[in-house]
Amino acid sequence: MTTVRREAFGRMPPEEGGGEVEKFVLQSDSVRVEILSFGCIITTLETKDRDGQFSDVVLGFDTLEGYTRKHPFFGAAIGRVANRIANGRFTLDGKEYQLFLNNGPNSLHGGAKGFDKVLWSPQVLPNGVRFFRLSPDGEEGYPGDLKVWVTYTLSGRELAINYQAQTSKTTPISLTNHSYFNLAGQGSRDVYDHEISIEADSYLPVDDTKIPTGEVAAVQGTGFDLRQPVELGKHLQKFHLDGFDHNFCLHQGQDRRLVARVFHPPTGRTMEVHTTQPGIQFYTGNNLDGSLKGKGAATYPKHSAFCLETQNWPDAVNKPHFPNVLLHPGEKYNHTTWLVFNTA
């Protein structure tokens, strides 16, 4: 049985239109989630440890002001295209499109004002909430009027995030959620004691601006082989890695499949990621530097959280051999990711 509650969370600044931001609280007997109508942001996600104690396991802020200022996409819906597009450029039907460059020479996570920085229209469901927005033709340089629905539903230990979209012109689209997790509880120092596994036989090597080189490399015999669980801190040391910020290539198919699992031995918390998406970006919070004041005055240093962003492969619009990232008029974009929380 899931209960859904809505309440006021704040108002947008006048220069942003001053609209009201609501918070939706989804609660089952084992999980409690709070989600904003601004950016579809997951602000709180509480799960039980093996002793039945709840802790909030996602990074974020106590107030709307934290989210309207610059921050690393904590908890937000990302679009039109998650991850990086090389030089912010692509060509469709002979026409070149130029996007805003917000990540060195590249466009990242939808540009200057992506889906994470706008108000969505909410609709309460029996066990969740659905958000809608129309991304107009030309927004952030992307073609086509894009109708987008992001739906969060909570059932027992499982949080489902469904993304649907329709377009008036062919456009690239890749939607994800950018929650930062620490299963010890948000505000904990690092995630080195977490054990992680990712069901991927290959990954995408990147250049020094984090754009895939085009190679699809086998994980076998490398630090990217996470098919068996590894303890993160020891694994980074063993392979002299500064952290992960890489796309892992998942087995293709439209069916739900288990793609990643994280276990935190001290608390017993586990998180499974199931998805229909072709890729998952594993990011270990390498750019967190302790400068942001988060919830309860916590600071978030480097490696104090991890992200498992289910999505299409980065820069797929410029790499014909990557999974198709284009949505055509008359088609429906439809992907779901499930986060399942348990204790072991």
Side-chain angles (χ1 to χ4, degrees), residues 117-136:
K117 299 180 183 72
V118 292
L119 268 177
W120 294 64
S121 303
Q123 176 194 354
V124 172
L125 305 176
N127 62 339
V129 58
R130 176 177 294 132
F131 298 101
F132 170 79
R133 82 175 292 254
L134 173 67
S135 171

Side-chain angles (χ1 to χ4, degrees), residues 32-309:
R32 184 173 175 277
V33 194
E34 300 182 1
I35 307 158
L36 301 183
S37 56
F38 175 71
C40 303
I41 291 170
I42 295 175
T43 61
T44 301
L45 201 162
E46 295 178 356
T47 73
K48 289 178 178 175
D49 65 10
R50 65 165 64 89
D51 300 321
Q53 297 295 310
F54 277 96
S55 273
D56 183 4
V57 297
V58 294
L59 276 53
F61 303 104
D62 290 321
T63 64
L64 178 60
E65 192 185 22
Y67 292 106
T68 55
R69 290 195 298 237
K70 187 172 166 53
H71 68 95
F73 304 97
F74 286 152
I78 303 296
R80 278 188 197 192
V81 175
N83 220 306
R84 294 168 179 87
I85 294 177
N87 304 308
R89 267 205 302 274
F90 60 89
T91 302
L92 278 182
D93 302 327
K95 182 180 175 188
E96 182 171 276
Y97 293 87
Q98 179 65 57
L99 311 173
F100 186 80
L101 305 181
N102 62 335
N103 185 247
N106 306 315
S107 183
L108 174 71
H109 290 337
K113 190 176 181 180
F115 290 1
D116 59 297
K117 299 180 183 72
V118 292
L119 268 177
W120 294 64
S121 303
Q123 176 194 354
V124 172
L125 305 176
N127 62 339
V129 58
R130 176 177 294 132
F131 298 101
F132 170 79
R133 82 175 292 254
L134 173 67
S135 171
D137 186 16
E139 182 174 64
E140 287 298 323
Y142 287 98
D145 286 332
L146 186 75
K147 293 177 176 174
V148 191
W149 295 265
V150 178
T151 306
Y152 294 89
T153 48
L154 180 63
S155 176
R157 303 172 181 277
E158 180 175 280
L159 177 67
I161 312 173
N162 173 258
Y163 307 91
Q164 295 186 32
Q166 293 170 315
T167 186
S168 65
K169 293 181 188 171
T170 301
T171 184
I173 179 172
S174 174
L175 305 178
T176 193
N177 175 276
H178 208 312
S179 287
Y180 286 68
F181 295 95
N182 186 321
L183 298 186
Q186 74 88 27
S188 301
R189 232 172 60 101
D190 58 58
V191 288
Y192 297 144
D193 59 354
H194 289 51
E195 294 175 5
I196 180 139
S197 57
I198 297 178
E199 300 277 335
D201 298 328
S202 52
Y203 78 101
L204 299 181
V206 293
D207 66 18
D208 55 8
T209 74
K210 300 279 196 296
I211 291 288
T213 60
E215 180 191 1
V216 180
V219 299
Q220 182 78 38
T222 74
F224 295 88
D225 191 346
L226 305 177
R227 292 172 295 184
Q228 295 298 316
V230 302
E231 188 179 320
L232 193 56
K234 288 179 179 165
H235 186 80
L236 293 177
Q237 277 183 320
K238 176 181 175 183
F239 287 95
H240 308 290
L241 297 169
D242 184 50
F244 288 95
D245 191 2
H246 294 81
N247 178 82
F248 286 75
C249 308
L250 305 175
H251 300 292
Q252 303 290 305
Q254 281 304 297
D255 296 335
R256 169 178 176 159
R257 56 212 182 280
L258 172 65
V259 297
R261 187 173 186 272
V262 186
F263 173 48
H264 185 242
T267 60
R269 285 193 183 91
T270 66
M271 179 175 109
E272 289 179 357
V273 183
H274 303 243
T275 194
T276 59
Q277 295 266 31
I280 190 167
Q281 186 84 3
F282 178 38
Y283 174 54
T284 49
N286 313 330
N287 297 322
L288 297 175
D289 60 7
S291 62
L292 288 172
K293 270 278 194 293
K295 289 180 280 194
T299 55
Y300 301 135
K302 181 176 179 173
H303 296 162
S304 61
F306 65 89
C307 305
L308 286 165
E309 303 154 66

